[in-house]
Amino acid sequence: MNKFQIIKSAKEVLKIESKAINDLAKSLDKNFFKAIKSIENLKGKLIVSGVGKSGNIASKIAASFTSTGIPAVFLNPVDASHGDMGIVRAEDILIVLSNSGESHELSDLLDFAKRQSVKIISICSNKKSLLAKNSDINLILPSHKEADKLSTIPTTSTTMTLALGDALCCCLLNLREFDKKAFKALHPGGKIGKKLKTLSEIMDTDLPLIKQNSSILDAVLEMTKKKYGCAVIIDSQKKIKGIITDGDLRRAIKKLDMADKATRIMSQKPITASEELLISSAIALMNKNSITSLLITRKSIPIGIVNLKNCLENE
């Protein structure tokens, strides 16, 4: 095959699979709703199972649910038949993946789950299959063909199953009080954890503060001491009155008397942020306003400060 034929072949695979995803979206019905409500009211854990390639997809689906706060595990049905059935409890929900719905390895697990009154959700292509007949809720994949030239290798079917698992997970996120803070608690490490860091985690609480009756010289000394290129003026209630930056000093240098009050050259409305603001958002805010330091406040009282360099190092 030449380059043109290879690219054409790849495009055909993607066309087949994308069509299948669109067909899947159109096929969603009351059974999908029932599955969502069942998982929303889950008292135990999700057990996701499948054989072969379906097992690989089942493992990923379980991991997605776990990472968003719904306890889920992958159970290999073969291992279940050899002792691992012990993790299945009546309060659990079992999601079983099988394109044909006839995988004989599933029979022991299905039989045990039925005897334990465990709710079973199936994802398969055959509503008359053994799996579908033994399930409480059936999510049936629409008619499709596998994307390989033999129409045999699990490709389109596994893509649809994975997408359906994502749809279940994301819909449940929308129903639950699960925000970025909760997500971060489950992802403290790696790039995701860093992207979800907030200013509260890196802010410096040793602020360059001066009182409103301070002089410009006091402001310069405080700016030099704290090295943030600014001095924050506060009133008797410790609320922000204004801010002086090194830029303000440079612009006013010719007409300055160092004994003058700092309030003479201050900016009255400094850019501030909440301690819960994501570091990535803080960087965007500083770039938008052409500033290198950002005040963190709580009810107009300064509680911290960050600079652009520190934010970039922690992004």
Side-chain angles (χ1 to χ4, degrees), residues 146-292:
E146 303 293 5
D148 67 292
K149 68 178 183 179
L150 301 176
S151 297
T152 302
I153 300 172
T155 47
T156 307
S157 58
T158 50
T159 298
M160 283 197 295
T161 303
L162 180 60
L164 190 55
D166 288 342
L168 287 169
C169 188
C170 292
C171 282
L172 283 157
L173 267 183
N174 293 335
L175 290 175
R176 296 159 50 230
E177 293 182 4
F178 194 86
D179 55 16
K180 288 182 178 179
K181 186 176 181 180
F183 191 81
K184 182 184 180 302
L186 299 176
H187 298 77
K191 191 170 183 180
I192 291 178
K194 290 187 72 175
K195 286 181 71 174
L196 294 173
K197 270 189 173 183
T198 61
L199 294 179
S200 63
E201 298 175 70
I202 66 166
M203 69 182 186
D204 186 354
T205 55
D206 186 15
L207 295 158
L209 301 177
I210 59 173
K211 296 179 180 179
Q212 61 183 350
N213 61 351
S214 299
S215 67
I216 292 175
L217 178 60
D218 293 328
V220 172
L221 292 174
E222 188 67 13
M223 289 168 64
T224 304
K225 179 182 177 182
K226 300 297 173 63
K227 300 179 181 179
Y228 276 99
C230 66
V232 183
I233 302 165
I234 56 173
D235 61 21
S236 59
Q237 303 298 314
K238 297 185 178 180
K239 293 187 176 182
I240 296 175
K241 185 80 173 176
I243 190 171
I244 296 176
T245 67
D246 51 9
D248 294 326
L249 287 172
R250 286 193 301 272
R251 286 186 289 272
I253 192 68
K254 291 183 179 180
K255 54 183 178 181
L256 276 183
D257 183 334
M258 299 304 281
D260 286 345
K261 285 190 175 182
T263 51
R264 178 187 164 194
I265 62 168
M266 73 178 184
S267 299
Q268 293 186 342
K269 295 182 179 180
I271 304 299
T272 63
S274 161
E275 60 193 299
E276 295 304 317
L277 186 69
L278 293 177
I279 293 175
S280 56
S281 298
I283 292 171
L285 181 61
M286 284 188 274
N287 286 332
K288 178 182 178 181
N289 291 280
S290 301
I291 57 176
T292 56

